[in-house]
Amino acid sequence: MQTTLKIAIQKSGRLSESSLTLLKECGIDIDNGLNKLKVEASNFPLEIFFLRDDDIPQYVEDKVADLGIVGENVLLEKEKSLDIVDRLGFGKCRLSLAIPKEQAYSSLKDLNGKRIATSYPVLLSQYMSAQNVSTEIHEISGSVEIAPGIGLADAVCDLVSSGSTLFTNGLKEVEVVLRSEAVLIANKTLSSEQQELLSKLLFRMRSVRKAKTNKYILLNAPNDRLDAICAILPGMKSPTILPLADENWSSVHSVVEENKFWEIIEKLKAEGAQGILVVPIEKMIL
Ligand code: ATP
Ligand code: MG
């Protein structure tokens, strides 16, 4: 029988679209008909299960699925013994403590003896005991942010990305308990054939991610500034230099990281580079 991998991803929520897009960008053909629990990829030995995110760590531990994509916050809350095989760079958020915005706050000690509403009782109690603060934790499964307003709690511990939900509920963020992003998790007992498939998948995922954080750059450089311009552009090995019809000029091609991009462009312009073009890279194989 052919070896396959089973991966569980969120059925509907903040991680669903990015998880599915990542698999598709890895060249995996998925026909995700609405409301299906499970689909098989047509060109890679992968089965995809669509589940609630809270259930994914348990399913991966029980080997119903071999792999899963979940927020690290969910994984740590569930305390399962699973491997994080990759951090995926999407679904970024933080688990934070927030209090009514009119209340003064100087340190975590101010929360001593207070009632805190959260969907993350395990992470919150670990954090509080590490900081030697004792609080009353009220576990609620949704709409945590309304708890202070209805008198259920004095503070909340909830996921935040932009902070707008806290703001509209009259709350202010005072401490970060955990920073989280989506992670690829795996059962600890994959067969060697499954490990091989996982390596292939990981290789593709990393190539996709690398391509996203890099751009291909082309520019024209006066020949007498080539050395200075090449020193600014490291490239994958070193920049490609092609002569232009005008013998005093060359075309220089390279790859630059997105987060250093503007800084590099400014330096290139200062060295006399002209006609700078920047294009996205679809896949990047190192
Ligand atoms: P499910 O129905 O699958 O249980 P859910 O309502 O528990 O869904 P979502 O709100 O879709 O979960 O969030 C899924 C994950 O997205 C979170 O666990 C977290 O890792 C991540 N995330 C990123 N930004 C945010 C945010 N601002 N608020 C909540 N979750 C966020
Ligand atoms: Mg959930």
Side-chain angles (χ1 to χ4, degrees), residues 4-283:
T4 57
L5 277 178
K6 288 174 274 185
I7 186 168
I9 65 173
Q10 193 186 20
K11 182 173 172 58
S12 138
R14 290 173 195 263
L15 302 182
S16 313
E17 202 182 315
S18 303
S19 305
L20 209 51
T21 304
L22 174 62
L23 295 176
K24 289 182 177 167
E25 284 172 338
C26 288
I28 295 168
D29 260 342
I30 306 161
D31 165 26
N32 60 317
L34 277 180
N35 290 323
K36 280 200 188 150
L37 169 67
K38 187 179 97 169
V39 295
E40 258 171 62
S42 57
N43 60 352
F44 194 91
L46 188 71
E47 272 179 58
I48 300 101
F49 288 70
F50 299 97
L51 301 168
R52 283 202 59 198
D53 69 344
D54 315 63
D55 299 333
I56 291 176
Q58 182 73 58
Y59 278 112
V60 177
E61 190 179 66
D62 294 345
K63 273 212 123 188
V64 175
D66 307 298
L67 308 174
I69 295 179
V70 280
E72 198 177 4
N73 51 303
V74 170
L75 175 67
L76 295 175
E77 178 66 24
K78 301 290 177 191
E79 299 186 288
K80 303 289 176 207
S81 160
L82 299 165
D83 288 329
I84 293 186
V85 284
D86 213 358
R87 310 183 71 80
L88 301 174
F90 61 85
K92 287 193 178 167
C93 59
R94 48 199 191 274
L95 182 66
S96 288
L97 285 160
I99 62 169
K101 61 170 174 267
E102 61 283 357
Q103 255 171 45
Y105 182 86
S106 54
S107 79
L108 195 63
K109 300 269 176 283
D110 297 354
L111 295 180
N112 237 324
K114 300 279 183 184
R115 298 164 304 161
I116 306 182
T118 189
S119 306
Y120 294 88
V122 172
L123 290 174
L124 179 58
S125 67
Q126 282 169 356
Y127 178 78
M128 287 301 183
S129 39
Q131 308 277 335
N132 261 322
V133 174
S134 108
T135 53
E136 221 180 274
I137 297 175
H138 288 254
E139 181 176 356
I140 48 179
S141 59
S143 303
V144 170
E145 66 283 355
I146 65 168
I150 58 171
L152 187 71
D154 307 302
V156 301
C157 174
D158 202 6
L159 295 175
V160 186
S161 46
S162 68
S164 61
T165 307
L166 291 182
F167 185 80
T168 51
N169 284 281
L171 299 171
K172 64 177 175 190
E173 189 176 355
V174 290
E175 302 284 347
V176 175
V177 173
L178 174 84
R179 288 187 191 278
S180 177
E181 67 184 286
V183 289
L184 178 69
I185 53 174
N187 182 280
K188 283 183 179 291
T189 62
L190 299 188
S191 68
S192 57
E193 291 88 350
Q194 286 181 317
Q195 286 284 0
E196 239 170 77
L197 282 178
L198 173 58
S199 302
K200 275 193 191 172
L201 190 63
L202 272 176
F203 175 74
R204 294 189 189 189
M205 285 183 175
R206 288 173 184 159
S207 303
V208 168
R209 206 158 54 240
K210 198 92 198 138
K212 279 199 183 143
T213 53
N214 284 274
K215 300 274 180 247
Y216 193 75
I217 181 166
L218 303 90
L219 57 90
N220 295 331
N223 287 343
D224 57 355
R225 304 305 306 150
L226 269 180
D227 286 349
I229 285 176
C230 289
I232 303 167
L233 287 172
M236 293 210 318
K237 272 208 168 38
S238 69
T240 306
I241 301 174
L242 300 166
L244 289 187
D246 178 337
E247 61 184 24
N248 297 316
W249 286 77
S250 298
S251 167
V252 179
H253 300 201
S254 190
V255 171
V256 295
E257 273 179 47
E258 178 119 64
N259 57 2
K260 298 193 189 129
F261 181 74
W262 288 109
E263 194 191 321
I264 289 181
I265 297 285
E266 281 160 20
K267 287 188 188 159
L268 290 171
K269 284 177 68 183
E271 291 293 348
Q274 292 183 5
I276 303 174
L277 294 181
V278 177
V279 282
I281 300 172
E282 195 182 293
K283 305 274 187 309

